[in-house]
């Protein structure tokens, strides 16, 4: 509980993505001992505390995308007053494609301690069960809803060598997979992970073409998409002509110039600055 005269602590509490039994014991302790619990959905919080057998002693406030900006200053004031604020979202870790980043940034700016209760992660769970390479990956969150913006984002990622992870709404899953197939080729390998850890958990693996056909029948539940990275990487000699040609080839394939420079420098084993200077004529 609060300690008058000392700054409080912001606790980002990871919550189960499916089964309440996956919650770590510390989650129950943090919720019970909080001065303030900020919840993305107070009704879901109530169900969670019931499942965990927790009685909340502190006050509960809603904290979701629509009121994040307005609620953050009050929560920072509570932290500065020495209170322990626990932030929970509907599932997973706060601030990762969920509300929380504004509060974390504001707390850090004021010198307030920020800690976390680790919990289940849809990103890591999907990676683990996908069957795709997991040694290097990048998380892209949700793709843009508009087709043009989505196509541009995917074009930027065309040369990405790491495994890619996305969240997607079930009713947009077919369109997202189709856009990926168009941008990266129908044969790119992927996995659609649906309702992870829940009763109706399903993992569909195959080419993007096969997954588009599957999704056409309709998709339900929480969806995480894992896609293999671009096949191989550029084999590049270190001479200027080869470096420039490799960057140009990647750009033509849809990779941004910045990422193309990074990839070519890595493949050729030369400093990124050297490739940058060649491309920009400096």
């Amino acid at each position: 509980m609060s300690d008058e005269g000392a700054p409080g602590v912001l606790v980002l509490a990871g919550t189960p993505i499916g089964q309440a039994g996956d919650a770590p014991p510390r989650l129950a302790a943090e919720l019970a001992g909080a001065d303030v619990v900020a919840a993305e959905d107070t009704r879901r919080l109530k169900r969670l505390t019931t499942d965990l057998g927790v009685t909340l002693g502190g006050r509960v406030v809603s904290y979701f995308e629509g009121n994040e900006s307005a609620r953050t200053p009050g929560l920072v004031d509570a932290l500065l007053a020495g209170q322990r604020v626990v932030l929970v979202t509907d599932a997973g870790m706060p601030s990762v494609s969920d509300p929380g980043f504004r509060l974390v940034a504001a707390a850090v700016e004021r010198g307030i301690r920020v800690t976390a209760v680790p919990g289940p992660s849809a990103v890591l769970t999907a990676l683990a069960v996908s069957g795709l390479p997991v040694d290097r990956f990048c998380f892209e969150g949700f793709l843009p809803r508009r087709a043009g913006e989505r196509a541009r984002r995917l074009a930027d990622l065309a040369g990405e060598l790491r495994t890619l992870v996305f969240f997607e709404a079930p009713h947009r899953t077919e369109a997202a997979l189709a856009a990926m197939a168009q941008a990266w080729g129908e044969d790119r390998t992927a996995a659609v992970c649906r309702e992870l850890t829940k009763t109706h958990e399903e993992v569909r693996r195959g080419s993007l073409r096969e997954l588009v056909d599957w999704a056409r029948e309709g998709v339900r539940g929480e969806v995480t998409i894992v896609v293999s990275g671009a096949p191989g990487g550029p084999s590049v000699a270190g001479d200027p002509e080869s470096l420039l040609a490799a960057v140009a080839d990647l750009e033509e394939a849809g990779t941004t110039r910045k990422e193309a420079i990074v990839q070519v420098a890595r493949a050729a084993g030369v400093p990124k600055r050297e490739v940058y200077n060649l491309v920009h004529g400096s």
Side-chain angles (χ1 to χ4, degrees):
M1 301 295 281
S2 62
D3 179 10
E4 292 187 11
V9 178
L10 173 60
V11 181
L12 308 177
T15 54
I17 60 175
Q19 301 184 33
D22 291 336
R26 188 176 152 216
L27 176 59
E30 288 287 358
L31 289 170
D35 297 297
V36 182
V37 178
E40 183 178 10
D41 186 329
T42 57
R43 293 167 299 181
R44 290 202 182 195
L45 172 65
K46 185 175 182 181
R47 288 198 294 271
L48 177 63
T49 54
T50 298
D51 289 338
L52 298 180
V54 172
T55 299
L56 298 178
R59 63 188 177 96
V60 175
V61 299
S62 64
Y63 189 78
F64 57 94
E65 185 178 359
N67 71 1
E68 229 181 323
S69 296
R71 281 279 161 85
T72 294
L75 291 172
V76 170
D77 287 343
L79 289 162
L80 290 172
Q83 296 190 333
R84 194 173 187 87
V85 175
V86 175
L87 175 62
V88 293
T89 52
D90 292 348
M93 182 61 65
S95 83
V96 180
S97 283
D98 272 333
F101 173 74
R102 285 186 179 87
L103 182 55
V104 172
V108 169
E109 185 179 356
R110 300 299 293 270
I112 296 165
R113 182 184 170 215
V114 179
T115 187
V117 177
S121 162
V123 175
L124 297 180
T125 303
L127 273 168
V129 302
S130 69
L132 297 174
V134 298
D135 53 334
R136 296 177 68 236
F137 69 91
C138 61
F139 173 57
E140 285 290 321
F142 286 92
L143 286 170
R145 297 184 182 187
R146 295 182 178 179
E149 295 176 8
R150 181 172 58 215
R152 286 190 289 274
R153 172 78 64 81
L154 293 174
D156 287 343
L157 294 168
E160 175 58 64
L161 301 178
R162 294 170 294 179
T163 299
L164 297 133
V165 185
F166 302 87
F167 287 158
E168 192 50 272
H171 62 281
R172 291 196 297 270
T173 298
E174 180 191 353
L177 291 169
M180 291 174 186
Q182 183 174 2
W184 304 335
E186 295 183 335
D187 293 329
R188 185 81 72 94
T189 305
V192 178
C193 306
R194 188 181 69 82
E195 294 290 87
L196 285 169
T197 77
K198 299 178 184 178
T199 302
H200 300 292
E201 175 182 279
E202 180 180 17
V203 180
R204 284 277 178 167
R205 304 175 182 88
S207 68
L208 286 172
R209 177 181 60 255
E210 292 168 336
L211 292 172
V212 170
D213 291 340
W214 165 78
R216 201 167 283 134
E217 299 177 6
V219 178
R220 301 178 65 182
E222 302 288 335
V223 173
T224 305
I225 301 173
V226 186
V227 188
S228 60
S235 178
V236 185
D239 62 280
E241 287 187 6
S242 297
L243 295 173
L244 287 170
V247 171
D249 288 343
L250 284 172
E251 285 191 271
E252 187 175 352
T255 306
T256 63
R257 174 167 292 183
K258 179 180 179 181
E259 181 59 25
I261 289 171
V262 171
Q263 290 188 30
V264 170
R266 184 187 302 134
V270 300
K272 183 174 67 175
R273 173 57 60 179
E274 181 179 333
V275 182
Y276 179 92
N277 289 341
L278 280 171
V279 171
H280 293 276
S282 56

